[in-house]
Amino acid sequence: MTVRGDFKEPARCRPDLVIGREEPFAEAREQLARGGSVLLHGPAGIGKSTVLRALAAENAGAAPTVLRCSATESESHLPFLALADLFGLVLDRVSGALPAAQRTALESALTGRGESTLQRDGLALRLAVLSTLRALAAEGPVLVVADDLQWLDPASAELLGFAARRLGDTPVQMLCAVRTEGLEEYDRHLRACPPDTRVVRLGPLSRVQVSTLLDHRGYTGLSRTTVRDIHRTSGGNPLFALELGRALAESPTRPRPGEPLPVPTSLRALVLSRLEMLSDEARRTLLVASVGARPTPALLHAAGRDHAEEETAQAAALGLLATDPEEPALRFAHPLISAALYAEASAHERRAAHAALSTAASDPIERARHLALATTGTDPKVAARLAEAAALARDRGAPSVAASLGLLAARHTPADPSADGTRADTASDGGEPGRSAPSPDERRLQAAEDAITAGEVDLARDIAREVLTRATVPAERVRAWMVVIEAAGQALGEVDAVYPQVLADAGDDPRLLALVHYQLAWREVVVDGDFAKARLETAHAAELAARGGDRRTELMALAFQSSTETLMGHPDAPATIERALQEPQDPDVACHHNGAASARFRWLLMSDQLPEARRSITGLLREARRRGMVESEVHFLRLLADTELRSGHCGRALDLTRESLRLARDSGIGESASAMLASLAEASGGDVDRALALAREAADHAEVDGDQLYLSLALAALGYARLVAGDAAAAVRSLRRVRELEHGMGIHDPARGRWHGDLAEALVRIGEPGEAQELINVTRLHARRLNRLSVLAVLDRAEALVRAARGEHESARVQLTSAQGRLAALGFGLEEARAAFALARLRARAPGPAPYDEAARLFRRCRALPWLRQVDAAVAPGPVVPETVPVVPAIPAALDGLASMERQVASLVMEGATNREIAGRLFISVKTVEATLTRVYRKLGIRSRVDIVRLAAGRRTK
């Protein structure tokens, strides 16, 4: 790819803003710290100069002398120019140390006076460069920073290489960057570097990293869908991504569905400079290839490009196409080339290319898309074709494609179908024969619902709000409000104002009211944490849906009702699940993460039926993936990980939670819940520090969203991670809050969060066996009533610790032995290993060798690395060091300027208290807490309670 030499990468950079380059940056930093040299390489715009500058700034303090040069293509023919940049300002310092012949040759080369050449003054000039570097190094370490090594004039490159190969132990390091397209193109540039140079390649950024980069540069108004398109079009190249983001930010209109992103002139010049060497016909062939989903020579022939082979071969020779003998489809050398070709073409040329493919493409979905993009104005027949294609994409499990096609269908649908003089038979369009075709807004709402399924919540929200600006039909308005609520995710408190409006729009229609009351049930759980009210709302929603003949909503309401009953420990839960599983079923509900099958899985898991739970959730995950249901996939990955974790398969759970977290962050769906379960998996089988960070992240997210449901789970994960980390006092603080939250929500099933045994164990460790025993007694009553056998075994393990603390060692030993055996029989591998570890610790108090082998074997089988480290510490020789309780640091100095009440409120926020809890502890109203926090934010220059928590966390990590 040809790149203009005067188009430089962005100069703005601080070392702390090197985004998405943590691994290569750390690799280069380590090499430089050892005294070695580094060569960064990668394609144009990949961020080499940014990383180079950051590394140079970080290492400049350790090197008294920093020599810099940055070559350009236009100056690469000038001999010794790079050498002049490097040595021009330091020559006077060292010229006296050079022999006369060397000094004369070097001065002549640097100043241009005389006729110095490598042919005439070769040896003297080479030795002069070597002597100069040695003289500078005698004063202290020297760092040579050379950017764009590919444009270095040949004379300077040869001289640097000669010196670099002979420096030996002289403290001279080189930090260089060179542009390369292939993986091995850097070889020839290594000749200008020392022998110990480490080569570090910079590759493309991920979608999340591109999103972070755009945010840092101020392009914050872009939806996730747009960021996805930017990432795809830029190929992960940061310079290209920033230019595309800038073009979108400056453009008054966004691209329509199915159209590529607008490519600014600067980028078009970067990638299309070789296009001028193609004939007009070859350019048209490439344009057709650029709009095809999978262009092949055969497709181009079918589209009327008779000389496709010769023309594409010419494009490949110019580097516009990448060739692969085993791959029949044509592939552009970079996605940006395709987008730039499309942007460069006129509207007429684009429509002609789409028209050609609307008949040539073999796939009906692709044909319909090209027909839409080749058609101007409204056309009911085109709209119907697009709606059919959207339905086909939906059936294929491609809801994102269905959403795009649905928006195209809406654009081509007449606002008043009767104005066209037609009355469409809509049987193939999702309607009934004889009925008018769907309106544009009906098709937009279907596209919004497809976008929700695909995890493109920003797009869905935008569509729904656009419809609400003009819709008057109650059914359309309620349907749009449902999309707005769904798009809010767990942050339902942010859409509180919607519920009165949607109730007014629903009127007395039972079908519409059922939808509203179903969403009100979710609000009761997430925002108010009231499971009893949620249960009543779901029952009412199911009744309304049955009366209105809406089987889908009835099934969803029954499934949610059964889930609330399960968590409440309500005796009707199994019967409600059976009702939700009765025929007729809805295929979308059957594999939905809030459907009856998911509710049944939750009941199986909490009832200790792990093998059946695993089979159930594996099938649900497979079906969600087949249908492209992103939110359900995130959810089911997490639930499968939970199943594996309970089974003691920590390695498998780690893999699943990391996959779930990646997908959640990529789509912006379920981040808090995925971080919470990833924390549990990390604390059990991975990195405890990471577990603590993830749990705090999950708690912060839930707190900001006002999500009581996941706040309790996140705090339970934080308590467990703190227990594994050896901070029992902090674990107690977190888990006591969980107890308060679940009591307030009316959650009585101890199998939900399974934190009770951890709290009891932590209480014993800090010397509170009485409170631990009281907790065990209360929890045991609920566990026995609900027949939660694994919970009862864990409680016995915790009670044995209480007994051991009281000196009742024999009864504790018997109880631990029994608990271990029961947990093994139930298949709870990690809990079994923990019981074995507790038993080993108890026996270690008796004379003789400590029997830790069994615990180590079980933890190894689980791949429970943090627990294995505890076993290693227990068997290590040396005096037993009593567990210490970390001291919580004082309030950060930043709070000193706050008033007394403001400091108290901020301090409680740092402890993780909710606004309601703060109000109760300080005997003030919640509104007073909110007003006080607003003043705190203003005084501290921050924006949210999360920033206060981070302030405290930052102080603790010092």
Side-chain angles (χ1 to χ4, degrees):
M1 201 188 317
T2 297
V3 183
R4 289 210 321 267
D6 59 347
F7 195 98
K8 303 297 292 181
E9 297 175 50
R12 295 167 293 172
C13 171
R14 296 201 318 268
D16 59 328
L17 292 184
V18 178
I19 295 166
R21 301 299 185 200
E22 291 78 8
E23 288 188 17
F25 193 87
E27 183 182 354
R29 173 192 282 156
E30 180 184 350
Q31 172 72 355
L32 291 169
R34 286 200 297 260
S37 297
V38 172
L39 175 64
L40 305 169
H41 78 105
I46 205 66
K48 302 178 298 299
S49 296
T50 300
V51 175
L52 183 89
R53 285 190 295 269
L55 287 167
E58 189 174 276
N59 287 272
T65 302
V66 180
L67 309 176
R68 302 174 187 271
C69 69
S70 181
T72 63
E73 184 177 15
S74 60
E75 299 169 342
S76 60
H77 67 286
L78 299 174
F80 308 122
L81 185 62
L83 203 64
D85 289 340
L86 291 171
F87 294 153
L89 297 178
V90 298
L91 184 59
D92 291 343
R93 282 167 49 189
V94 298
S95 60
L98 302 181
Q102 294 180 24
R103 182 171 61 250
T104 301
L106 186 58
E107 288 176 349
S108 178
L110 298 187
T111 62
R113 293 191 296 270
E115 297 181 359
S116 180
T117 65
L118 279 179
Q119 288 73 24
R120 198 187 76 178
D121 301 322
L123 182 58
L125 199 49
R126 288 173 172 84
L127 292 174
V129 172
L130 179 59
S131 299
T132 300
L133 289 172
R134 285 174 173 167
L136 291 169
E139 302 173 2
V142 175
L143 178 64
V144 178
V145 181
D147 198 2
D148 282 321
L149 212 59
Q150 74 278 0
W151 304 133
L152 215 64
D153 62 276
S156 296
E158 205 284 331
L159 290 168
L160 275 179
F162 175 87
R165 291 189 295 273
R166 290 163 176 81
L167 284 168
D169 295 332
T170 306
V172 176
Q173 295 174 269
M174 293 186 67
L175 175 58
C176 306
V178 63
R179 179 183 304 166
T180 57
E181 295 299 331
L183 291 177
E184 304 299 332
E185 291 181 12
Y186 59 81
D187 283 352
R188 62 189 178 90
H189 299 291
L190 276 175
R191 292 196 292 269
C193 302
D196 66 343
T197 298
R198 173 175 289 189
V199 177
V200 178
R201 176 172 175 79
L202 299 183
L205 299 181
S206 68
R207 189 191 305 180
V208 173
Q209 290 165 344
V210 165
S211 176
T212 304
L213 178 65
L214 292 166
D215 285 344
H216 270 290
R217 294 302 172 91
Y219 307 130
T220 55
L222 304 174
S223 68
R224 289 180 182 272
T225 305
T226 302
V227 172
R228 180 200 63 192
D229 291 342
I230 289 175
H231 178 257
R232 184 183 63 244
T233 303
S234 69
N237 184 298
L239 173 62
F240 298 170
L242 286 171
E243 286 295 299
L244 290 168
R246 180 181 59 78
L248 279 169
E250 294 175 354
S251 173
T253 58
R254 297 290 165 88
R256 294 185 297 182
E259 290 184 348
L261 295 175
V263 180
T265 304
S266 58
L267 288 188
R268 293 187 209 175
L270 281 174
V271 300
L272 297 181
S273 58
R274 302 180 206 182
L275 202 63
E276 298 172 357
M277 301 173 67
L278 291 174
S279 65
D280 290 343
E281 289 301 311
R283 288 184 64 162
R284 292 190 186 96
T285 296
L286 281 190
L287 177 61
V288 174
S290 75
V291 301
R294 186 179 167 79
T296 62
L299 177 65
L300 293 176
H301 273 291
R305 309 311 304 166
D306 296 333
H307 304 287
E309 285 86 354
E310 297 91 332
E311 291 161 350
T312 55
Q314 184 185 3
L318 292 171
L320 293 167
L321 293 177
T323 57
D324 184 348
E326 299 181 1
E327 176 57 59
L330 300 170
R331 182 169 59 86
F332 283 90
H334 192 281
L336 190 60
I337 297 175
S338 173
L341 270 167
Y342 193 88
E344 193 79 1
S346 66
H348 173 73
E349 289 173 326
R350 295 177 192 177
R351 286 196 297 272
H354 287 298
L357 289 177
S358 68
T359 55
S362 59
D363 184 80
I365 292 177
E366 188 176 359
R367 286 200 303 271
R369 184 177 73 87
H370 288 302
L371 177 63
L373 295 174
T375 304
T376 58
T378 59
D379 187 322
K381 292 182 180 179
V382 172
R385 283 269 304 274
L386 285 162
E388 292 171 8
L392 181 58
R394 205 174 297 123
D395 290 342
R396 288 183 182 178
S400 178
V401 175
S404 176
L405 292 168
L407 288 174
L408 284 170
R411 177 155 52 103
H412 290 287
T413 301
D416 181 6
S418 61
D420 287 60
T422 60
R423 191 172 180 81
D425 181 347
T426 60
S428 62
D429 193 15
E432 298 174 6
R435 285 187 55 196
S436 297
S439 70
D441 280 345
E442 285 180 280
R443 283 182 166 143
R444 288 188 183 94
L445 288 171
Q446 178 62 65
E449 290 161 357
D450 286 330
I452 286 284
T453 302
E456 299 179 8
V457 293
D458 293 336
L459 175 62
R461 185 190 300 111
D462 291 345
I463 296 170
R465 292 201 178 277
E466 180 195 349
V467 169
L468 284 166
T469 60
R470 57 177 173 268
T472 57
V473 178
E476 288 185 4
R477 290 189 62 80
V478 170
R479 192 175 172 187
W481 285 125
M482 292 299 104
V483 171
V484 171
I485 294 172
E486 288 281 352
Q490 298 298 118
L492 290 178
E494 296 180 1
V495 292
D496 255 352
V498 165
Y499 297 101
Q501 298 179 62
V502 69
L503 277 169
D505 285 332
D508 57 2
D509 187 325
R511 289 175 65 95
L512 301 181
L513 285 170
L515 292 169
V516 181
H517 284 281
Y518 174 74
Q519 293 295 349
L520 282 169
W522 275 107
R523 188 202 170 281
E524 290 293 347
V525 166
V526 173
V527 179
D528 291 340
D530 193 328
F531 276 71
K533 284 187 179 179
R535 177 176 176 268
L536 295 176
E537 287 284 7
T538 54
H540 186 39
E543 178 190 345
L544 287 166
R547 195 192 317 162
D550 183 356
R551 181 61 174 164
R552 183 186 188 281
T553 303
E554 181 187 7
L555 291 171
M556 292 292 286
L558 286 170
F560 190 17
Q561 181 183 342
S562 69
S563 295
T564 59
E565 290 172 349
T566 298
L567 294 174
M568 294 169 65
H570 198 285
D572 290 351
T576 307
I577 291 175
E578 288 301 318
R579 284 179 62 200
L581 290 170
Q582 287 175 0
E583 297 293 340
Q585 284 292 313
D586 182 293
D588 290 333
V589 175
C591 62
H592 194 280
H593 57 280
N594 289 323
S598 183
R600 178 177 175 271
F601 158 80
R602 197 172 289 107
W603 184 83
L604 289 169
L605 190 67
M606 295 172 67
S607 300
D608 301 328
Q609 300 181 50
L610 295 183
E612 180 61 24
R614 183 182 292 106
R615 282 192 292 272
S616 171
I617 198 64
T618 301
L620 287 170
L621 176 60
R622 186 185 308 114
E623 185 62 15
R625 282 174 166 165
R626 189 186 72 81
R627 289 173 170 265
M629 301 169 69
V630 174
E631 185 172 5
S632 293
E633 181 181 355
V634 171
H635 200 85
F636 294 149
L637 278 168
R638 196 166 62 238
L639 294 181
L640 180 56
D642 194 9
T643 309
E644 299 294 359
L645 201 55
R646 297 188 189 205
S647 302
H649 304 151
C650 298
R652 173 69 172 146
L654 264 178
D655 291 341
L656 289 165
T657 55
R658 288 170 179 172
E659 183 181 355
S660 173
L661 188 57
R662 279 195 302 271
L663 186 57
R665 285 177 170 162
D666 199 26
S667 61
I669 295 173
E671 292 182 74
S672 177
S674 294
M676 175 272 299
L677 202 63
S679 171
L680 290 173
E682 291 285 352
S684 298
D687 184 292
V688 179
D689 288 337
R690 178 167 166 76
L692 290 166
L694 285 167
R696 291 189 186 104
E697 175 190 333
D700 288 350
H701 269 298
E703 193 80 77
V704 170
D705 290 345
D707 183 352
Q708 301 293 299
L709 186 65
Y710 275 111
L711 177 59
S712 66
L713 290 172
L715 289 171
L718 181 58
Y720 173 65
R722 285 172 164 172
L723 181 67
V724 177
D727 191 349
V732 167
R733 288 197 299 274
S734 297
L735 296 173
R736 278 174 175 163
R737 281 200 63 207
V738 177
R739 180 173 59 188
E740 294 169 9
L741 286 168
E742 290 203 352
H743 179 75
M745 287 188 286
I747 296 175
H748 300 300
D749 193 331
R752 186 249 184 175
R754 303 182 66 86
W755 50 267
H756 310 76
D758 293 334
L759 176 54
E761 181 175 338
L763 286 166
V764 172
R765 290 194 192 182
I766 67 168
E768 295 287 350
E771 183 183 343
Q773 187 63 60
E774 182 182 349
L775 169 68
I776 291 166
N777 293 341
V778 172
T779 308
R780 188 176 276 142
L781 291 175
H782 293 298
R784 281 177 175 163
R785 177 174 61 84
L786 297 168
N787 197 35
R788 301 300 190 228
L789 299 180
S790 65
V791 174
L792 288 168
V794 169
L795 291 173
D796 280 355
R797 184 187 71 206
E799 189 173 50
L801 299 179
V802 174
R803 289 180 171 176
R806 290 172 174 167
E808 303 168 14
H809 294 163
E810 181 56 28
S811 60
R813 184 191 63 77
V814 171
Q815 197 167 20
L816 281 172
T817 303
S818 170
Q820 180 184 345
R822 286 146 54 204
L823 288 166
L826 290 168
F828 281 72
L830 184 57
E831 300 289 7
E832 175 197 357
R834 288 179 64 181
F837 188 31
L839 187 59
R841 279 179 159 170
L842 183 64
R843 289 172 175 166
R845 299 183 182 185
Y852 285 107
D853 290 351
E854 175 70 0
R857 181 185 68 81
L858 292 173
F859 282 135
R860 227 176 347 258
R861 184 183 69 183
C862 295
R863 278 190 58 191
L865 302 183
W867 288 102
L868 264 174
R869 285 190 283 272
Q870 291 196 30
V871 173
D872 291 341
V875 300
V880 177
V881 180
E883 182 176 320
T884 59
V885 178
V887 178
V888 178
I891 296 172
L895 304 191
D896 291 345
L898 301 179
S900 174
M901 175 62 72
E902 293 166 352
R903 275 201 310 274
Q904 291 181 66
V905 170
S907 300
L908 290 172
V909 168
M910 289 178 181
E911 292 180 14
T914 64
N915 288 358
R916 188 180 301 173
E917 290 167 341
I918 294 171
R921 290 169 69 172
L922 297 181
F923 302 102
I924 57 179
S925 70
V926 173
K927 285 192 176 296
T928 301
V929 174
E930 292 170 350
T932 303
L933 278 175
T934 300
R935 292 195 301 274
V936 169
Y937 299 156
R938 186 173 63 251
K939 289 183 178 181
L940 296 181
I942 58 179
R943 293 184 296 178
S944 71
R945 62 185 295 129
V946 173
D947 292 330
I948 298 180
V949 174
R950 287 173 179 157
L951 181 64
R955 177 64 177 266
R956 289 191 177 101
T957 58
K958 289 182 181 177

